[in-house]
Amino acid sequence: MAPSIRLSPAVRSLFDEPLAIAVQASFRPFWRLVKRDVQSPFLLQLEVFEGHGERPGRLLAQAQHERAFLRDGVRRVPVREGRIRATLFLPPGEDAFPGIIDIHGLGGGLFEPRASLLANHGFATLALAYYQFEDLPHELKELHLEYFEEAVNYMLQHPQVKGPGVGLLGFSKGAEVSLAMAAFLKHISAVASLNAPVAVTLIPLSYKDKTIPIVTLREHKAKATNSKFLDYSDVIDDPFQAPCNQSLIPLEKGEAQFLFMVGQDDRVIKSEYYATEACKLLQAQGKENFQILSYPGTGHCIDPPFFPLYHIGSHPVFHKRAVLGGEVRAYSKAQVHAWSQIQEFFKKYLTVS
């Protein structure tokens, strides 16, 4: 089974024509653009200058673009139920909607932009924090799936969430957790995984009497690039080789549908290799509940459309300047395509049986 990217002709045509206007954005170097308060829009000041190059000519036109995260009628509901610390976004109306839990990576805190945007498309979406937020642990020594199980139960008991199962959307460490939830918990119907390790990394993971140890990380295997930043893609021992295979998440135990979305230029983990090998194991078990979408020129971060490329930043584990991967044009294509595929995937599999 070979990973492949599927781009519709309509999507390809958006990027086949040369750009007529160059838009220059000014951000702090190596910082990632993140929207903390989704209740207010991004205000973008667009300016078009005469000519090209580092020294722009005469200002020809300017305009302000407003990008809202919440459409009219979408409700933002803070959730503090039991141990759960989250925000639920509900589409307009009083109907029941397909439910998704959105789990972010190792940045900590409560990350709401992606969940709010999914609610605009008809999904009841729970943005779930799991550390470094309010009274949640500041540092994680072990991840307990019982906390995430509580979030699943909360969603299924909510009157505006359709059953019988929920979907999971995870990025990086959040995708790792999502895959583990599908392996061990009930009522997980579909998992969309963005650049996931398919083994437990950094923090041991437990559920009831079962604990999965972490795969070994070897920082000395980091490579310096020509730009003097570090490439950490080789620091994780291969989880498909003994003894590290004891850290693999037993995906064959799950009944969910899996959508692996991977960047071929991911410099944090070998996400394409991991997804491909994991699907081979599923296939060997007679499973056909998986799909891989592989995006060339795309690094570790796959955000919703129109967020700027974050290709060099702080490594999520070693906290040093690192290459995360990706190049602008290919990444822009991947954003548009991946976002539409996530929605189609959940619409297909989050239905009442």
Side-chain angles (χ1 to χ4, degrees):
M1 184 198 67
S4 63
I5 179 172
R6 298 184 292 107
L7 284 178
S8 69
V11 172
R12 284 199 302 268
S13 67
L14 292 175
F15 301 96
D16 286 343
E17 295 297 324
L19 295 177
I21 298 175
V23 180
Q24 181 176 350
S26 178
F27 302 107
R28 297 184 182 184
F30 316 127
W31 282 45
R32 186 177 187 183
L33 180 64
V34 175
K35 191 71 172 75
R36 295 296 184 189
D37 181 9
V38 298
Q39 298 175 95
S40 62
F42 266 143
L43 298 178
L44 304 178
Q45 186 69 30
L46 305 176
E47 297 177 336
V48 180
F49 294 90
E50 187 176 46
H52 299 279
E54 294 183 2
R55 295 184 179 182
R58 179 169 57 95
L59 178 65
L60 300 177
Q62 60 182 348
Q64 189 175 76
H65 172 69
E66 183 176 292
R67 186 184 181 198
F69 287 77
L70 297 178
R71 288 181 178 173
D72 290 343
V74 173
R75 288 159 289 164
R76 178 186 178 275
V77 183
V79 177
R80 306 294 184 270
E81 295 281 342
R83 293 179 295 171
I84 302 171
R85 301 295 177 262
T87 301
L88 178 63
F89 293 92
L90 291 169
E94 300 303 320
D95 296 334
F97 304 96
I100 298 172
I101 300 175
D102 182 13
I103 307 175
H104 204 53
L106 280 176
L110 181 60
F111 184 79
E112 297 185 355
R114 193 168 54 200
S116 66
L117 292 171
L118 276 173
N120 294 338
H121 294 278
F123 300 99
T125 312
L126 186 76
L128 181 65
Y130 56 99
Y131 81 113
Q132 289 186 1
F133 182 73
E134 294 186 350
D135 58 348
L136 293 175
H138 184 72
E139 294 184 4
L140 290 174
K141 296 183 179 179
E142 189 170 82
L143 272 173
H144 300 277
L145 281 186
E146 286 83 355
Y147 172 77
F148 300 92
E149 185 175 39
E150 195 172 328
V152 172
N153 293 335
Y154 168 82
M155 290 291 280
L156 291 175
Q157 292 166 9
H158 196 285
Q160 286 193 261
V161 176
K162 287 182 180 179
V166 299
L168 305 176
L169 174 58
F171 163 66
S172 192
K173 185 67 175 182
E176 173 192 314
V177 171
S178 298
L179 295 174
M181 292 170 69
F184 290 102
L185 306 183
K186 297 178 180 179
H187 309 301
I188 308 300
S189 299
V191 179
S193 160
L194 298 168
N195 285 332
V198 296
V200 174
T201 60
L202 191 66
I203 306 159
L205 185 145
S206 69
Y207 181 61
K208 296 182 178 179
D209 59 350
K210 171 71 173 178
T211 298
I212 303 179
I214 62 172
V215 67
T216 304
L217 274 66
R218 304 184 187 278
E219 189 177 3
H220 70 273
K221 289 188 175 181
K223 303 184 293 287
T225 66
N226 292 337
S227 56
K228 305 294 177 64
F229 298 108
L230 293 171
D231 180 337
Y232 283 98
S233 56
D234 287 328
V235 302
I236 302 176
D237 278 0
D238 190 340
F240 297 96
Q241 302 293 327
C244 292
N245 51 11
Q246 64 184 331
S247 300
L248 279 174
I249 297 167
L251 296 180
E252 68 280 359
K253 293 184 177 180
E255 298 300 323
Q257 294 289 326
F258 296 107
L259 174 61
F260 295 93
M261 313 183 87
V262 299
Q264 291 183 5
D265 193 37
D266 187 349
R267 304 292 188 88
V268 177
I269 61 173
K270 294 181 176 179
S271 52
E272 185 180 47
Y273 168 70
Y274 293 159
T276 302
E277 293 301 309
C279 290
K280 286 180 182 177
L281 292 179
L282 288 172
Q283 200 169 37
Q285 296 280 337
K287 301 271 190 174
E288 297 180 352
N289 57 335
F290 56 85
Q291 178 186 359
I292 299 176
L293 290 178
S294 184
Y295 293 98
T298 300
H300 189 63
C301 299
I302 304 179
D303 289 318
F306 316 125
F307 277 84
L309 173 65
Y310 181 59
H311 68 291
I312 295 176
S314 177
H315 189 276
V317 176
F318 300 111
H319 307 294
K320 296 178 181 178
R321 292 285 181 230
V323 177
L324 307 182
E327 66 88 11
V328 173
R329 187 177 178 88
Y331 173 66
S332 298
K333 294 181 185 181
Q335 282 181 313
V336 172
H337 187 259
W339 186 239
S340 67
Q341 293 301 298
I342 287 169
Q343 294 169 51
E344 288 184 20
F345 174 71
F346 285 129
K347 286 176 182 175
K348 181 175 181 180
Y349 292 110
L350 297 184
T351 55
V352 179
S353 59

